[in-house]
Amino acid sequence: GMQLESASYETSYIPTYGVSQTRAVDSCFKTGISSLFGAVGSTIYFETTYYPETNNGQGERWVYAQGNTSSDYIRLWQDVTGGTKRIRALVGAGGVQQVNITTTTTSLGLSDTEPSVIKYAFAFSENDFRMYVNGIVRTDNLGTIPNLTEITFNSTFKTLFPLKQALIFPTALTDSECIALTTI
Protein backbone atom coordinates (compact mmCIF):
# COMPACT_ATOMS: atom_id res chain seq x y z
CA GLY A 1 0.00 0.00 0.00
CA MET A 2 0.85 3.63 0.02
CA GLN A 3 2.43 5.49 2.94
CA LEU A 4 2.01 9.26 3.28
CA GLU A 5 4.16 11.54 5.42
CA SER A 6 3.04 14.95 6.65
CA ALA A 7 6.52 15.99 7.80
CA SER A 8 9.30 17.29 5.60
CA TYR A 9 11.52 14.29 6.42
CA GLU A 10 10.55 10.75 5.34
CA THR A 11 10.62 7.72 7.62
CA SER A 12 11.18 4.13 6.58
CA TYR A 13 8.38 2.11 4.99
CA ILE A 14 6.02 0.44 7.47
CA PRO A 15 4.20 -2.57 5.93
CA THR A 16 0.58 -2.81 7.09
CA TYR A 17 -0.96 -5.48 4.90
CA GLY A 18 -2.66 -8.29 6.80
CA VAL A 19 -1.23 -7.80 10.29
CA SER A 20 -0.76 -4.76 12.48
CA GLN A 21 2.86 -3.62 12.39
CA THR A 22 4.95 -1.48 14.70
CA ARG A 23 7.88 0.37 13.26
CA ALA A 24 11.20 -0.70 14.76
CA VAL A 25 13.23 1.84 16.68
CA ASP A 26 15.80 3.83 14.73
CA SER A 27 19.31 2.94 15.80
CA CYS A 28 22.70 3.09 14.19
CA PHE A 29 25.66 1.01 15.33
CA LYS A 30 29.01 0.81 13.58
CA THR A 31 32.24 -0.95 14.53
CA GLY A 32 35.67 -0.65 12.94
CA ILE A 33 35.69 3.13 13.02
CA SER A 34 39.04 3.73 14.71
CA SER A 35 40.28 5.55 11.59
CA LEU A 36 37.70 8.29 12.24
CA PHE A 37 38.98 8.92 15.75
CA GLY A 38 42.48 9.50 16.99
CA ALA A 39 45.17 11.94 17.92
CA VAL A 40 44.16 14.41 15.21
CA GLY A 41 40.63 14.62 16.60
CA SER A 42 37.13 14.28 15.20
CA THR A 43 33.67 15.82 15.19
CA ILE A 44 30.42 13.98 15.92
CA TYR A 45 27.28 15.74 14.68
CA PHE A 46 23.59 14.88 14.91
CA GLU A 47 20.20 16.52 14.69
CA THR A 48 17.30 15.37 16.84
CA THR A 49 14.44 16.57 19.01
CA TYR A 50 15.03 17.25 22.69
CA TYR A 51 12.06 16.03 24.76
CA PRO A 52 12.23 17.56 28.27
CA GLU A 53 9.15 15.74 29.54
CA THR A 54 10.71 12.32 28.94
CA ASN A 55 13.78 13.16 30.92
CA ASN A 56 12.29 12.62 34.38
CA GLY A 57 15.23 11.91 36.66
CA GLN A 58 16.97 9.68 34.15
CA GLY A 59 19.62 10.06 31.51
CA GLU A 60 18.77 9.87 27.82
CA ARG A 61 21.86 8.79 25.89
CA TRP A 62 21.95 9.97 22.29
CA VAL A 63 25.43 8.91 21.22
CA TYR A 64 27.86 6.44 22.75
CA ALA A 65 31.30 5.80 21.28
CA GLN A 66 33.66 3.39 22.98
CA GLY A 67 36.87 1.50 22.55
CA ASN A 68 37.60 -2.18 23.03
CA THR A 69 36.60 -1.75 26.68
CA SER A 70 34.11 0.55 28.38
CA SER A 71 36.98 2.49 29.98
CA ASP A 72 37.45 4.45 26.72
CA TYR A 73 34.29 6.35 25.77
CA ILE A 74 32.49 9.46 24.60
CA ARG A 75 28.89 9.89 25.82
CA LEU A 76 26.62 12.64 24.50
CA TRP A 77 23.33 12.84 26.38
CA GLN A 78 20.73 14.70 28.43
CA ASP A 79 19.78 14.19 32.07
CA VAL A 80 18.07 15.70 35.10
CA THR A 81 19.91 16.31 38.36
CA GLY A 82 18.09 17.95 41.25
CA GLY A 83 15.31 19.00 38.89
CA THR A 84 17.73 20.79 36.53
CA LYS A 85 17.65 19.61 32.92
CA ARG A 86 21.09 19.42 31.36
CA ILE A 87 22.88 18.44 28.17
CA ARG A 88 26.26 16.79 28.63
CA ALA A 89 29.39 15.48 26.96
CA LEU A 90 31.52 13.01 28.92
CA VAL A 91 34.87 11.60 27.82
CA GLY A 92 36.88 8.86 29.50
CA ALA A 93 40.25 7.41 28.58
CA GLY A 94 41.92 4.46 30.27
CA GLY A 95 39.24 4.37 32.95
CA VAL A 96 39.78 8.02 33.95
CA GLN A 97 37.17 10.67 33.22
CA GLN A 98 38.85 13.30 31.04
CA VAL A 99 36.04 15.72 30.21
CA ASN A 100 32.63 16.59 31.69
CA ILE A 101 30.98 19.42 29.76
CA THR A 102 27.60 20.08 31.33
CA THR A 103 25.20 22.94 30.66
CA THR A 104 21.58 23.60 31.56
CA THR A 105 19.04 23.36 28.78
CA THR A 106 17.68 26.82 29.58
CA SER A 107 21.16 28.35 29.10
CA LEU A 108 20.99 26.90 25.58
CA GLY A 109 17.62 28.55 24.95
CA LEU A 110 15.71 25.24 25.14
CA SER A 111 12.30 24.99 26.77
CA ASP A 112 11.91 23.06 30.02
CA THR A 113 8.40 22.03 28.96
CA GLU A 114 8.19 21.88 25.14
CA PRO A 115 10.16 19.72 22.67
CA SER A 116 12.92 21.54 20.80
CA VAL A 117 14.85 20.67 17.65
CA ILE A 118 18.55 20.60 18.38
CA LYS A 119 21.65 20.40 16.27
CA TYR A 120 24.50 19.02 18.35
CA ALA A 121 28.20 18.83 17.48
CA PHE A 122 31.04 17.55 19.61
CA ALA A 123 34.48 18.47 18.26
CA PHE A 124 37.60 17.19 19.94
CA SER A 125 41.34 16.96 19.67
CA GLU A 126 43.99 16.53 22.34
CA ASN A 127 43.31 19.04 25.18
CA ASP A 128 40.50 20.71 23.17
CA PHE A 129 36.93 19.44 23.67
CA ARG A 130 33.97 21.53 22.46
CA MET A 131 30.21 20.90 22.64
CA TYR A 132 27.86 22.92 20.39
CA VAL A 133 24.08 22.97 20.68
CA ASN A 134 22.16 25.20 18.28
CA GLY A 135 25.18 27.43 17.69
CA ILE A 136 26.10 27.85 21.37
CA VAL A 137 29.51 26.51 22.43
CA ARG A 138 30.68 25.06 25.74
CA THR A 139 34.33 24.01 26.11
CA ASP A 140 36.75 22.02 28.21
CA ASN A 141 40.38 22.47 27.27
CA LEU A 142 41.99 19.57 29.09
CA GLY A 143 41.82 15.87 28.36
CA THR A 144 43.13 12.93 26.41
CA ILE A 145 41.35 11.44 23.40
CA PRO A 146 40.18 7.88 24.08
CA ASN A 147 40.87 4.99 21.70
CA LEU A 148 37.48 4.46 20.04
CA THR A 149 36.43 1.52 17.86
CA GLU A 150 32.61 1.71 17.69
CA ILE A 151 29.75 4.20 17.84
CA THR A 152 26.03 3.92 18.53
CA PHE A 153 23.36 6.53 17.81
CA ASN A 154 20.22 5.54 19.69
CA SER A 155 17.99 6.13 22.67
CA THR A 156 18.11 4.65 26.15
CA PHE A 157 14.31 4.70 26.07
CA LYS A 158 14.24 3.26 22.50
CA THR A 159 11.42 5.51 21.23
CA LEU A 160 12.43 9.06 22.04
CA PHE A 161 15.34 9.73 19.70
CA PRO A 162 14.09 10.86 16.29
CA LEU A 163 17.50 11.02 14.64
CA LYS A 164 17.26 13.21 11.56
CA GLN A 165 20.91 13.29 10.59
CA ALA A 166 24.22 11.98 11.94
CA LEU A 167 27.72 12.68 10.65
CA ILE A 168 31.24 11.89 11.78
CA PHE A 169 34.07 14.09 10.53
CA PRO A 170 37.59 12.61 10.80
CA THR A 171 38.90 16.00 11.95
CA ALA A 172 38.00 18.44 14.70
CA LEU A 173 36.05 21.16 12.92
CA THR A 174 36.77 24.79 13.79
CA ASP A 175 34.55 26.93 16.01
CA SER A 176 33.11 28.77 13.01
CA GLU A 177 32.42 25.50 11.15
CA CYS A 178 30.66 23.95 14.18
CA ILE A 179 28.65 27.09 14.88
CA ALA A 180 27.50 27.19 11.24
CA LEU A 181 26.71 23.46 11.30
CA THR A 182 24.61 23.73 14.48
CA THR A 183 22.85 27.03 13.93
CA ILE A 184 19.16 26.52 13.27
Side-chain angles (χ1 to χ4, degrees):
M2 184 168 52
Q3 176 176 316
L4 300 174
E5 303 272 345
S6 63
S8 61
Y9 203 87
E10 300 83 19
T11 61
S12 58
Y13 172 67
I14 306 168
T16 59
Y17 179 75
V19 186
S20 176
Q21 298 285 325
T22 301
R23 185 171 178 263
V25 65
D26 286 334
S27 182
C28 175
F29 174 76
K30 179 70 176 145
T31 60
I33 59 163
S34 58
S35 64
L36 295 179
F37 301 107
V40 296
S42 299
T43 302
I44 300 169
Y45 168 83
F46 63 92
E47 181 181 343
T48 190
T49 301
Y50 163 72
Y51 287 100
E53 68 276 7
T54 62
N55 193 357
N56 188 13
Q58 301 180 53
E60 170 75 336
R61 185 182 300 155
W62 294 318
V63 177
Y64 184 69
Q66 78 171 33
N68 292 324
T69 69
S70 61
S71 64
D72 288 315
Y73 60 85
I74 292 177
R75 297 178 184 139
L76 310 177
W77 56 304
Q78 70 181 44
D79 73 1
V80 176
T81 300
T84 301
K85 296 174 181 172
R86 308 176 308 167
I87 293 182
R88 304 179 71 186
L90 298 176
V91 177
V96 177
Q97 182 173 298
Q98 301 291 312
V99 172
N100 181 355
I101 302 173
T102 302
T103 189
T104 64
T105 55
T106 53
S107 71
L108 296 169
L110 302 175
S111 170
D112 266 351
T113 58
E114 298 297 320
S116 304
V117 171
I118 64 168
K119 294 183 178 185
Y120 185 121
F122 185 66
F124 59 95
S125 58
E126 195 73 18
N127 292 316
D128 182 19
F129 295 83
R130 297 170 279 130
M131 176 178 78
Y132 302 81
V133 178
N134 294 351
I136 298 172
V137 62
R138 300 292 189 257
T139 64
D140 188 327
N141 292 322
L142 298 173
T144 300
I145 298 172
N147 295 316
L148 303 171
T149 59
E150 61 187 50
I151 191 164
T152 303
F153 291 87
N154 74 356
S155 167
T156 306
F157 299 112
K158 302 298 182 201
T159 58
L160 307 174
F161 185 57
L163 183 62
K164 286 193 138 187
Q165 185 176 28
L167 304 167
I168 299 174
F169 298 90
T171 186
L173 299 179
T174 66
D175 276 341
S176 59
E177 290 170 327
C178 285
I179 289 169
L181 187 63
T182 61
T183 299
I184 293 183

